[in-house]
Amino acid sequence: MSEQIERPGAAAWVPARADAGRLRAAAAECRGCELWHDATQVVFSAGPASAPLMLVGEQPGDREDLEGRPFVGPAGRLLADAVTEAGIDRKSLYVTNAVKHFRFEERGQRRIHKTPGVGHVVACHPWLEAEVAAVAPQVILCLGATAARSVLGRPASVTKERGRVLDAPAALGPGVKVLVTNHPSAVLRMRGEAGFDDALAGLVADLRLAASHVGE
Ligand code: URA
Ligand code: SF4
């Protein structure tokens, strides 16, 4: 049996009607779950205060945890390349994560990424909800199943939902469209394998599809 973990959720730390800058500052104090304890710092978002297209990842990785910015490590470089390939200006995107602190296991000197549990996703969700309210995106592209779980508020399979245009739950605001694609880390893991080119092309196609639903 795992021990019972105190996980009040982020709501008590989320300021009301705050813009993304104030949310970012407030998130440094969050104790909504235990992940803050072993992480270096909170990793909030990058991008403009208001953006039509929002990308949601899983959680910060090792580099992000050290630098305090999302998608600055290897997966971030792959994502940046895919964004450029899709003809999207990276600076126009609001990029964030479902979970704002790095969850990992220590193996010797190395910190190995550990997928956040549903309990972490649920605990951290108030931040994402507040970001959507502040940034007011028209389209949210979920990078991987953890992001999809948080945005859609239900379990979601990337394979099943890819390529579909879904409606966001009412709590995220009316008329917001949601699409789901592979996480760039999943694509990165295929490097050197036969399916890599197709997986990368799929990510680029999904970015294009998401961007095409902006302004509709
Ligand atoms: N993977 C994520 O999901 N988010 C990051 O910020 C970096 C890697
Ligand atoms: Fe708060 Fe999210 Fe960090 Fe947990 S992961 S402490 S809920 S910001």
Side-chain angles (χ1 to χ4, degrees):
M1 280 285 283
S2 64
E3 72 184 89
Q4 198 67 35
I5 290 174
E6 189 71 18
R7 206 174 272 154
W13 286 269
V14 179
R17 291 173 297 278
D19 64 14
R22 272 194 61 214
L23 292 173
R24 179 175 299 115
E29 306 300 323
C30 185
R31 303 290 182 260
C33 76
E34 76 284 9
L35 293 182
W36 69 272
H37 188 267
D38 293 336
T40 308
Q41 59 190 320
V42 73
V43 178
F44 210 69
S45 60
S50 148
L53 180 52
M54 177 184 280
L55 305 192
V56 181
E58 180 198 69
Q59 65 163 355
D62 183 69
R63 284 249 42 99
E64 290 79 16
D65 171 77
L66 296 172
E67 288 192 32
R69 288 182 298 133
F71 285 105
V72 291
R77 279 195 294 279
L78 183 131
L79 177 62
D81 290 347
V83 164
T84 305
E85 179 75 26
I88 299 167
D89 176 8
R90 195 186 185 190
K91 291 195 291 297
S92 72
L93 295 173
Y94 184 91
V95 180
T96 192
N97 282 301
V99 171
K100 268 54 172 181
H101 279 100
F102 180 35
R103 186 183 196 213
F104 60 92
E105 251 169 47
E106 257 163 344
R107 297 226 192 107
Q109 302 287 77
R110 300 209 325 144
R111 303 190 303 170
I112 310 293
H113 163 278
K114 205 172 166 194
T115 304
V118 174
H120 303 113
V121 172
V122 170
C124 214
H125 187 263
W127 289 115
L128 189 65
E129 201 172 311
E131 288 172 280
V132 173
V135 175
Q138 296 169 30
V139 180
I140 302 174
L141 179 61
C142 306
L143 307 173
T146 301
R149 173 73 183 75
S150 186
V151 171
L152 294 169
R154 60 167 171 84
S157 141
V158 174
T159 343
K160 286 204 193 109
E161 321 261 5
R162 251 200 77 199
R164 294 190 193 162
V165 184
L166 309 162
D167 289 317
L172 294 185
V176 180
K177 300 287 175 220
V178 178
L179 291 94
V180 176
T181 189
N182 285 314
H183 195 286
S185 298
V187 178
L188 199 58
R189 277 195 294 276
M190 298 176 78
R191 190 165 269 173
E193 291 172 20
F196 174 75
D197 288 349
D198 284 350
L200 182 57
L203 178 59
V204 172
D206 291 342
L207 282 159
R208 273 207 191 99
L209 181 64
S212 77
H213 286 279
V214 166
E216 277 193 332

